[in-house]
Amino acid sequence: MDALALEATSTKKPANGVPAPAPAKRKPAKKTKKAIVFFEVEILDAKTKDKLCFLDKVEPNATIGEIKSMFHKSHPQWYPTRQSIRLDAKGKSLKDEDVLQQLPVGTTATFYFRDLGAQISWVTVSTPWSRQKAGGGGGGGMLVFLTEYTGPLVLYLMFYFRVPFIYASKYDFSTSKHWVVHLACMCHSFHFLKRNLETLFVHRFSHGTMPLRNIFKNCTYYWGFAAWMAYYINHPLYTPPIYGEQQIRLALILFLFCQIGNFSIHIALRNLRPPGSKTRKIPYPTKNPFTWIFVLVSCPNYTYELGSWLGFTLMTQCLPVAFFTLVGFIQMTVWAKGKHRSYLKEFRDYPPLRSPILPFIL
């Protein structure tokens, strides 16, 4: 009886004898694709305000580096590393990793271009005909810092060995009777050899290139001062420091201490930046005691560099060396102040106790 009732219930038809229609299946709603809003990019000459390029379909997540590459296609003479792209004609250059949609511009962005001049790679010489790292293809050659730092090394040794045509002919290939002259040659050679090796194996540069004109300026500075210092230190009439061995030994200790400190700071800075990265971090002291100066100074590599040349000045008691130390101190102070300002601007939690180059003073 229960089975018949269940069958009757399941086959029950409506009163009009027409079966009820099955409920209609709902079609899944179509996902609406978000329309990409392309940017228009206008590039003007920073000096003349003339329009140089107009890019009408630039994706919002495009970087400044990619925009430089697009600009390079229409202006092959300006490869990416030669370009400075700015929001304002007199403003600072934008970073290659800056993203278009994150900049304070509308969908029609106006940038200003400035030509940085021919660029040279930190590792490979880069010219308009040879720019392996500047995006133009080709091969490289001579090492930049071997050019800058090997010059002083070779020039100093020429004066040390008293090659002909430098001093009177009777002094050709003679040696000094003062042991401080030989010590100064070893210290000077050690310093510039260290610089070359650090450039090749330690330093990681945030910029891949430097202006080609800088190599001539830097070579003039390093080579000129090296020749000037070496001429007087290795001169046959050179006289040793007034306080003798005690002064020389104290100067040597200061020189070597600061050389080790400078190297220690370079290693600490290298370890802050992974290979191929432009990441910036706040440098802090490590287990190495020579890095503890980071507690008080933003750029201790310059502090130690200054100490090294003060030691060399004290060791040789030579006026050209003192002048070179003074000029170097002024330049390093400018660099240190700039880097200190960058740290303060970039990191809100930057240690407030630090000074740019000299603790509590400067």
Side-chain angles (χ1 to χ4, degrees), residues 122 160 244 246 301-302 328 356:
W122 289 108
Y160 174 74
Q246 187 175 0
N301 51 325
Y302 297 146

Side-chain angles (χ1 to χ4, degrees), residues 177-181 237-245 247-248 315-317:
K177 61 182 179 181
H178 305 298
W179 70 278
V180 66
V181 172
L237 301 180
Y238 170 80
T239 54
I242 190 170
Y243 293 107
E245 290 188 9
Q247 178 177 338
I248 295 169
M315 179 190 301
T316 58
Q317 198 171 296

Side-chain angles (χ1 to χ4, degrees), residues 121 124-141:
S121 170
T124 308
V125 167
S126 173
T127 66
W129 304 275
S130 169
R131 19 181 138 88
Q132 183 179 17
K133 292 209 171 186

